[in-house]
Amino acid sequence: MPDKATFRKGDALLIVDVQNDFCPGGALPIEAGDAIVPVLNEWINAAENAGIRIYVSRDWHPESHMSFDSEGGAWPPHCIQDSDGAAFHSELSLPAGAVIVTKGTRFDRDQYSAFDETGLADELARRNVRRVWIAGLALDVCVRATALDAAKEGLEVHLIKTATRPVTLEGGSKALEELERAGVIVEE
Ligand code: VGL
Ligand code: ZN
């Protein structure tokens, strides 16, 4: 379990898409997606104690988004703006200072990465963040894309493996290999 000493100056915690639609009972459920919430709460608590910034991304699609299967896309309709499905999991204990990063709002294409035209890289640079701890949903989709972009931005990237789950097991193991090849440090 993390504690205050896990973190140092220049760190940030980045939690990806822990929303109801990605949890059991949601529109695009990930097996045991909700099981990461208690683990994330430990990380949030440790980050708070260390005075480390916390960013939480959310998938935030307009109705009839082009990524929905009804529109020829790859996914069932999910995370529609302001719906219950788009809300963060109710047991995720987000502190008041946590900063929300909204993505998936573009009409013309999907945005899997929390860095994709959100300005997040500039924000982290402005705050002198050099190392990010990444977790959330889904390992093989938005966590993968976010961690790869973070590495491309030159950040030191740590993936919290116990606090992420994949859409498919095969996709999850492929993503882990790919992330390690990209220099991401996978925390067992
Ligand atoms: C995601 C599928 C579609 C994710 C978002 O957050 O991993 N997956 N949209
Ligand atoms: Zn989506």
Side-chain angles (χ1 to χ4, degrees):
M1 278 298 170
D3 64 14
K4 178 170 172 231
T6 307
F7 298 106
R8 63 183 188 220
K9 197 164 157 277
D11 280 5
L13 178 61
L14 175 50
I15 299 173
V16 177
D17 301 4
V18 182
Q19 295 165 271
N20 291 325
D21 273 343
F22 296 128
C23 293
L28 205 172
I30 291 158
E31 196 181 331
D34 56 342
I36 70 173
V37 171
V39 185
L40 282 171
N41 286 339
E42 298 281 346
W43 282 84
I44 290 168
N45 191 39
E48 275 274 279
N49 290 336
I52 291 307
R53 283 175 181 281
I54 301 169
Y55 294 88
V56 278
S57 72
R58 62 180 180 182
D59 209 30
W60 198 248
H61 295 308
E63 255 189 315
S64 309
H65 189 244
M66 50 70 65
S67 74
F68 298 169
D69 47 16
S70 50
E71 306 293 318
W75 308 105
H78 63 281
C79 296
I80 294 171
Q81 295 169 6
D82 286 317
S83 66
D84 290 342
F88 293 119
H89 189 286
S90 61
E91 279 155 43
L92 189 67
S93 56
L94 289 176
V99 176
I100 296 174
V101 181
T102 299
K103 64 179 184 61
T105 57
R106 281 191 66 128
F107 293 104
D108 57 337
R109 61 171 181 82
D110 212 349
Q111 292 157 286
Y112 288 157
S113 165
F115 288 88
D116 189 353
E117 291 189 349
T118 59
L120 180 58
D122 291 276
E123 157 69 9
L124 296 180
R126 184 175 309 119
R127 310 292 178 192
N128 297 314
V129 171
R130 292 173 297 275
R131 187 166 81 157
V132 285
W133 298 80
I134 299 180
L137 301 170
L139 171 58
D140 44 351
V141 189
C142 289
V143 170
R144 170 187 172 277
T146 299
L148 288 174
D149 275 354
K152 271 187 215 140
E153 292 294 341
L155 294 157
E156 182 181 318
V157 185
H158 293 249
L159 176 77
I160 308 167
K161 200 179 160 189
T162 54
T164 183
R165 291 289 186 281
V167 176
T168 69
L169 284 178
E170 198 201 346
S173 38
K174 270 198 199 149
L176 287 176
E177 282 170 27
E178 195 181 1
L179 291 173
E180 284 191 313
R181 274 199 306 275
V184 171
I185 298 153
V186 177
E187 302 284 335
E188 296 293 329

